[in-house]
Amino acid sequence: MGKLLNGGLAVGGTLLAFGALKRALNPRPRYAPWEKPRYEDFEKRVCIVGGGFGGYSAATKLTELTNGREDVGVLVIARDNFFTFWPMVPGIVSSDIDSRNVAQPLRRALITAGASFRRAKLKEIDHENQRIVTDGGLDFPYDQLVISLGGQPNFFGIPGVEEHALHMRGVEDAEHIRNRVIERFEEVSLMRGEVPESKLTFVVIGGGATGTEVASEIHTLVHEALAPDYPNIDPNRVRIFLLEGLPQILPELDPSLQRAARTRLFNEHIEVMTSTFAEEVTEDQVRLKGGDVIHSENVIWTAGNRPNVAIHDLGLPVDERNGIKVDEYLRVEGFPGIWAIGDCAAIRDIREGFEGRYVPPTAQAAGQEGYTVAKNILATLDGREDELEKFAYKPLGQLVELGSDFAVNEVMGVRFSGLAAAIFWRLAYLVRLNSPQSKIRIAADWISALFVRPAVTQVRGTSQE
Amino acid sequence: MGKLLNGGLAVGGTLLAFGALKRALNPRPRYAPWEKPRYEDFEKRVCIVGGGFGGYSAATKLTELTNGREDVGVLVIARDNFFTFWPMVPGIVSSDIDSRNVAQPLRRALITAGASFRRAKLKEIDHENQRIVTDGGLDFPYDQLVISLGGQPNFFGIPGVEEHALHMRGVEDAEHIRNRVIERFEEVSLMRGEVPESKLTFVVIGGGATGTEVASEIHTLVHEALAPDYPNIDPNRVRIFLLEGLPQILPELDPSLQRAARTRLFNEHIEVMTSTFAEEVTEDQVRLKGGDVIHSENVIWTAGNRPNVAIHDLGLPVDERNGIKVDEYLRVEGFPGIWAIGDCAAIRDIREGFEGRYVPPTAQAAGQEGYTVAKNILATLDGREDELEKFAYKPLGQLVELGSDFAVNEVMGVRFSGLAAAIFWRLAYLVRLNSPQSKIRIAADWISALFVRPAVTQVRGTSQE
């Protein structure tokens, strides 16, 4: 009898724990499907265009601030129904993590928070009627409008970059880079006789966080995943170059961390060239300023960003290099009710010592701008204009991962590097992922990577003959 | 002191266990990279063209049988460097599992076993010099040659199928189907006024295992993953049709299991139409024999297979409908030293009661043919022609999964359906996956799916503007 009771209690307890965990991981949405009003029917309508870090944080902050009120409706319009978690994109190259989990489902997170979402592309703003028009001729009204269209690569007019270089603007680009490396190994493993140097030479242009991580990821992919699978290719024949125009890579970091990163890259035989500019990229070489040439058929461009060109068609004041002109409250100059944040906005840095400079176009800054714009919009809607906040960028530091067991971190003034930093990198970003499912899966991927080498599969054209 | 010792033992034991698990999951390859002879240098060379179930099982059986001998070299030539684990492909539609793990890395498994691998496409057989020629003009010698080029969809000349229907021939096709369903939901969520019925109607043509599973997977995707994310679309507006030309779906199964499957599909509101033939597929409708019409912009074709057309260019005797003509030992008629297996071979079924019929083109049969061909090739190489084995197909049963909590199974005569069958389905196939990494990751995916709904991300064109 006692045994039966114990057994029953154990089963019951397990079921309760299972249910609790399931509820914790699947937050209850703010509205049930039948009680949610249409966006158009809200009294005050905030439309956010763009689903990146800026737009997403603005939308979730707004729904958080208006929790319990029923007068403010929030609509996010974005080109994709996912949200790219940038810090983990380079990790896809060496396949530590599954790309599906780096693309976070935007729709679900927003709907759970109580906002509406439509996947559409902004075509124009109908300023007179306070409506935006999207492709397909749909229009949506707004009382307050946030433009957060992001950026795009800037090639600075260097010939050949756009045609011949791979980019690094999202999940698919990272998969292209990965498939390119595998493709070169397949090609070379079929070659008899001399292998041209350009096949196995990889040139990453741009020594910021993205470029440095990509170079390191290619090293990991080649030496840890590919080398054992291609026994007839000597992995030490692979050359990886990292080119940076400034005198130092990772210019935002403290010099001690720059040194730690350089040492790591040196040990990985990644050839770092600073104060080096590419002048032309062709099919099989990179020509450098000064006349030197690197023979490579694999060039990856991470060196520059510019505001999304789509901002020119909106009838808003634009600064060619930095984006939509906004005041210190993030309001678009001369257009009351319209705000701009993120990589597409020219936001002056108001910190001391940064006079005349702009807030950098990073995911971190965009997230902070989203919070500020949410508070300012609500103050405006409620007629509390005196409570408007100036946007003050507070850099929280930078985390740069170089392989799965090394990182250089600078977090609120504290600097550290090595394995502990790599573990911190992973935990810090794991906490930041919005989707509970992605958290579980990425953690599982990392744990399984302790035991097995990542797989080398290059899925392409299974449906072709 | 005792505590310290205990702690030390615990840490040491953990490290030992970790190391043992890591070794168990990463089998030591048969050759270290420097001791492996080139394929061309072996005394007896077996070339296998095709990396599906047939080619893969032939290669691994051969390396197993020749373990300890140094005279037989095995080379696999395949179009892709992965091997599609067919039974799990439909599962990608509802996203229970990550497609990267369904595409099993072929190269690593073969190299670990001691075979060579080249990714290339067969162009012709140079019968005179006993060499095969691949695209790019490479050639490889053989003493024994196995053709295992697989099949391709058969549209039976029905107009419109090739242009307008989605297919189901691999990982990418499953992802296309998934993205198509999501795309329709995105489109419909932007529509104002009447939504054409064809947008949310899905027609699966072919009531075999693949078609039935795909129909059920679409149901799961719509009702479990999409419904909560698209609150303005009523999931019950989605109609799913399953069309089969025979009087029963799942014709290979026992009638009691057919009934169980029909009941399940009925409860999921999947409309099964048997003895029904499609006569034409257009952009937005399927015209049936007899004149009825189903309005649908989403047609999925799973109804027919034919041998890979590439077999016609090899100078071998071919039966138009069934493939390369082989004798009961799987030797190509009139071409000593050449063998054919899998979907591209016309293999007579020698079981009693199956006179005049051919072995069905299934993954299970191809795997068994691979084992037999490996044994027969070795007997031939060793001059033991009297030991040649006739190929006798032994169907082990069929496992059909309908959603994550229901399956109908028939395993060596034992029939069962329901949740227990679904669990059996999963364990049975998990054991069969060749890559230890995929095993871990798929198991982790299934476990995490108990707690969280699958994500709805449709990754497309992140690099475009």
Side-chain angles (χ1 to χ4, degrees):
Chain A
M1 190 62 210
K3 260 190 193 161
L4 204 65
L5 190 70
N6 278 342
L9 281 177
V11 169
T14 307
L15 287 177
L16 279 178
F18 183 90
L21 184 56
K22 192 162 176 167
R23 270 195 307 282
L25 289 172
N26 293 286
R28 223 170 62 85
R30 179 163 161 192
Y31 298 100
W34 58 88
E35 61 187 17
K36 170 84 192 292
R38 279 158 31 99
Y39 164 73
E40 286 85 350
D41 298 339
F42 278 97
E43 192 189 324
K44 298 165 180 173
R45 291 156 301 188
V46 182
C47 179
I48 298 169
V49 184
F53 266 88
Y56 176 75
S57 74
T60 47
K61 188 72 186 173
L62 259 173
T63 54
E64 186 195 316
L65 292 173
T66 58
N67 203 354
R69 299 170 53 158
E70 299 297 339
D71 57 337
V72 179
V74 179
L75 169 70
V76 176
I77 303 272
R79 212 185 43 186
D80 288 308
N81 65 11
F82 61 89
F83 157 71
T84 305
F85 194 76
W86 291 103
M88 284 183 179
V89 173
I92 295 170
V93 173
S94 78
S95 185
D96 261 335
I97 41 182
D98 173 10
S99 55
R100 220 180 30 174
N101 294 324
V102 174
Q104 300 272 296
L106 191 55
R107 179 178 276 284
R108 179 173 311 166
L110 290 172
I111 284 174
T112 307
S116 297
F117 175 82
R118 291 290 181 280
R119 195 198 68 186
K121 209 170 155 179
L122 177 65
K123 249 180 65 186
E124 54 176 315
I125 303 174
D126 176 355
H127 293 277
E128 203 173 322
N129 300 308
Q130 294 211 315
R131 306 181 80 82
I132 62 156
V133 182
T134 68
D135 53 354
L138 289 176
D139 56 10
F140 300 92
Y142 66 82
D143 296 303
Q144 301 289 325
L145 175 65
V146 181
I147 306 291
S148 179
L149 286 168
Q152 63 185 61
N154 191 348
F155 305 121
F156 303 112
I158 298 172
V161 172
E162 197 162 357
E163 303 89 286
H164 300 297
L166 296 168
H167 312 149
M168 189 63 194
R169 290 290 308 170
V171 171
E172 283 201 337
D173 288 337
E175 284 176 345
H176 286 163
I177 294 173
R178 174 181 166 74
N179 279 343
R180 170 70 69 90
V181 180
I182 298 176
E183 183 62 33
R184 290 294 179 242
F185 267 69
E186 290 290 355
E187 276 177 41
V188 169
S189 81
L190 287 175
M191 283 183 177
R192 288 161 191 183
E194 202 51 49
V195 174
E197 203 181 297
S198 59
K199 287 278 177 208
L200 291 179
T201 300
F202 297 85
V203 179
V204 180
I205 304 182
T210 304
T212 308
E213 287 185 353
V214 167
S216 188
E217 288 285 334
I218 293 175
H219 174 89
T220 305
L221 175 62
V222 166
H223 287 265
E224 290 179 19
L226 296 181
D229 287 2
Y230 296 80
N232 62 348
I233 299 178
D234 176 1
N236 295 317
R237 292 209 42 188
V238 173
R239 298 182 70 183
I240 304 170
F241 288 89
L242 179 63
L243 270 47
E244 167 61 44
L246 295 176
Q248 276 299 334
I249 58 163
L250 300 170
E252 309 87 352
L253 281 187
D254 182 83
S256 67
L257 289 179
Q258 289 173 351
R259 256 198 313 279
R262 280 294 282 267
T263 307
R264 169 75 176 188
L265 296 173
F266 179 82
N267 289 338
E268 287 181 339
H269 301 286
I270 293 171
E271 299 169 55
V272 179
M273 301 171 74
T274 49
S275 305
T276 301
F277 294 89
E279 238 178 25
E280 192 188 355
V281 176
T282 69
E283 217 171 290
D284 59 359
Q285 63 180 42
V286 181
R287 217 157 42 70
L288 304 180
K289 207 165 155 178
D292 281 349
V293 160
I294 303 174
H295 293 278
S296 168
E297 296 177 35
N298 316 288
V299 179
I300 297 141
W301 180 262
T302 71
N305 269 304
R306 52 180 291 182
N308 193 327
V309 290
I311 58 172
H312 291 280
D313 309 328
L314 304 179
L316 300 176
V318 168
D319 163 340
E320 181 67 42
R321 246 193 83 195
N322 299 293
I324 301 172
K325 290 185 190 169
V326 296
D327 66 13
E328 53 211 337
Y329 303 105
L330 306 175
R331 295 181 293 203
V332 177
E333 290 173 9
F335 288 82
I338 304 188
W339 314 70
I341 57 174
D343 294 12
C344 75
I347 301 168
R348 293 213 173 264
D349 200 329
I350 61 170
R351 285 178 294 165
E352 239 176 89
F354 286 81
E355 287 78 13
R357 288 168 68 176
Y358 289 94
V359 174
T362 63
Q364 203 180 102
Q368 294 179 13
E369 288 152 23
Y371 285 137
T372 301
V373 91
K375 285 189 250 172
N376 285 350
I377 284 177
L378 207 61
T380 308
L381 285 174
D382 294 348
R384 298 178 279 111
E385 254 97 5
D386 51 319
E387 290 179 27
L388 285 182
E389 253 178 41
K390 290 185 184 178
F391 176 71
Y393 176 45
K394 291 179 210 68
L396 296 175
Q398 205 174 11
L399 311 182
V400 181
E401 197 195 39
L402 303 171
S404 63
D405 60 349
F406 191 91
V408 289
N409 298 343
E410 181 165 6
V411 182
M412 294 186 269
V414 182
R415 300 172 199 116
F416 50 123
S417 63
L419 178 61
I423 294 170
F424 182 87
W425 186 98
R426 295 191 160 195
L427 292 179
Y429 282 128
L430 206 54
V431 169
R432 294 286 306 275
L433 282 171
N434 78 46
S435 146
Q437 197 216 25
S438 301
K439 285 186 196 192
I440 294 181
R441 294 203 169 184
I442 287 186
D445 280 0
W446 279 337
I447 291 167
S448 75
L450 293 176
F451 294 101
V452 286
R453 277 191 297 132
V456 182
T457 43
Q458 176 197 24
V459 177
R460 37 150 227 175
T462 48
S463 58
Q464 308 152 8
E465 254 337 289
Chain B
M1 190 61 210
K3 261 192 191 159
L4 203 66
L5 190 70
N6 278 341
L9 281 176
V11 170
T14 308
L15 287 177
L16 279 178
F18 183 90
L21 184 56
K22 191 162 177 166
R23 269 194 307 282
L25 289 172
N26 293 287
R28 223 170 62 85
R30 178 164 161 192
Y31 298 100
W34 58 87
E35 62 187 17
K36 170 84 192 291
R38 279 157 32 99
Y39 163 73
E40 285 85 349
D41 298 339
F42 278 97
E43 193 188 323
K44 297 164 180 175
R45 291 156 301 188
V46 182
C47 179
I48 298 170
V49 184
F53 266 88
Y56 176 75
S57 74
T60 47
K61 188 73 186 173
L62 259 173
T63 55
E64 186 194 317
L65 292 174
T66 58
N67 203 354
R69 299 171 53 158
E70 298 297 338
D71 57 337
V72 179
V74 179
L75 169 70
V76 176
I77 303 272
R79 212 185 43 186
D80 287 308
N81 65 12
F82 61 89
F83 156 72
T84 305
F85 194 76
W86 291 103
M88 284 183 179
V89 173
I92 294 170
V93 173
S94 78
S95 186
D96 261 335
I97 41 183
D98 172 10
S99 54
R100 221 181 29 174
N101 294 323
V102 174
Q104 300 271 295
L106 191 55
R107 179 178 275 284
R108 179 173 311 167
L110 290 172
I111 284 175
T112 307
S116 297
F117 175 82
R118 291 290 181 280
R119 194 198 68 186
K121 209 170 155 179
L122 177 65
K123 250 180 64 187
E124 54 175 317
I125 303 175
D126 176 354
H127 293 277
E128 203 174 320
N129 300 308
Q130 294 211 315
R131 307 181 80 81
I132 62 157
V133 182
T134 68
D135 53 354
L138 288 176
D139 56 10
F140 299 92
Y142 66 82
D143 296 302
Q144 301 288 325
L145 175 65
V146 180
I147 306 292
S148 179
L149 286 168
Q152 62 184 62
N154 191 349
F155 305 121
F156 303 112
I158 298 172
V161 173
E162 196 162 358
E163 303 89 285
H164 300 298
L166 296 168
H167 312 148
M168 189 63 194
R169 290 289 309 169
V171 171
E172 283 201 337
D173 288 338
E175 284 176 345
H176 287 163
I177 294 173
R178 175 181 165 74
N179 279 343
R180 170 70 69 90
V181 180
I182 298 177
E183 183 63 32
R184 290 294 179 242
F185 267 70
E186 290 289 355
E187 276 177 40
V188 169
S189 81
L190 286 175
M191 284 183 177
R192 287 160 191 184
E194 202 52 48
V195 173
E197 203 181 297
S198 58
K199 287 278 176 207
L200 291 180
T201 300
F202 297 85
V203 179
V204 180
I205 304 183
T210 304
T212 308
E213 287 185 354
V214 167
S216 188
E217 288 285 333
I218 293 175
H219 174 89
T220 306
L221 174 63
V222 166
H223 288 264
E224 290 179 19
L226 296 181
D229 288 2
Y230 296 80
N232 61 348
I233 299 178
D234 176 1
N236 295 316
R237 293 209 42 188
V238 173
R239 297 183 70 184
I240 304 170
F241 287 89
L242 179 62
L243 270 47
E244 167 61 45
L246 295 176
Q248 276 300 335
I249 59 162
L250 299 170
E252 309 87 353
L253 282 187
D254 182 83
S256 66
L257 290 180
Q258 289 173 351
R259 257 198 313 279
R262 279 294 282 267
T263 308
R264 168 76 176 188
L265 295 174
F266 179 82
N267 289 337
E268 287 181 339
H269 301 285
I270 294 171
E271 299 169 55
V272 178
M273 301 172 74
T274 49
S275 305
T276 302
F277 294 88
E279 237 177 26
E280 192 189 353
V281 177
T282 69
E283 216 170 292
D284 58 358
Q285 62 180 42
V286 181
R287 217 157 42 71
L288 304 180
K289 206 165 156 178
D292 280 349
V293 160
I294 302 174
H295 294 278
S296 169
E297 297 177 34
N298 316 289
V299 179
I300 296 141
W301 179 263
T302 70
N305 269 304
R306 52 180 293 183
N308 192 328
V309 290
I311 58 172
H312 290 280
D313 309 328
L314 304 179
L316 301 175
V318 168
D319 163 340
E320 181 67 42
R321 247 193 81 196
N322 299 293
I324 301 172
K325 290 184 189 168
V326 296
D327 67 13
E328 52 210 338
Y329 302 105
L330 305 175
R331 295 181 293 203
V332 177
E333 290 173 8
F335 288 81
I338 304 188
W339 314 70
I341 57 175
D343 294 12
C344 75
I347 302 169
R348 293 212 173 264
D349 200 329
I350 60 170
R351 285 177 294 164
E352 239 176 89
F354 286 81
E355 287 78 13
R357 288 169 67 177
Y358 289 94
V359 174
T362 63
Q364 202 179 105
Q368 294 179 12
E369 288 153 23
Y371 285 137
T372 302
V373 91
K375 285 189 249 172
N376 285 350
I377 283 177
L378 207 60
T380 308
L381 285 175
D382 294 348
R384 296 178 280 111
E385 254 97 5
D386 51 319
E387 290 179 27
L388 285 183
E389 253 178 40
K390 290 185 185 179
F391 176 72
Y393 177 45
K394 291 178 210 69
L396 296 175
Q398 205 175 10
L399 311 182
V400 181
E401 197 195 39
L402 304 171
S404 62
D405 59 349
F406 191 91
V408 289
N409 298 342
E410 181 166 6
V411 182
M412 294 186 268
V414 182
R415 298 172 200 117
F416 50 122
S417 63
L419 177 61
I423 293 170
F424 182 87
W425 186 98
R426 295 190 160 196
L427 292 179
Y429 282 129
L430 206 54
V431 170
R432 295 285 306 275
L433 282 172
N434 78 47
S435 146
Q437 197 217 25
S438 302
K439 285 186 196 192
I440 294 181
R441 295 203 168 184
I442 287 186
D445 280 0
W446 279 336
I447 291 167
S448 76
L450 293 176
F451 294 101
V452 286
R453 277 191 298 131
V456 183
T457 43
Q458 176 197 24
V459 178
R460 38 150 227 174
T462 49
S463 58
Q464 308 153 8
E465 253 336 289

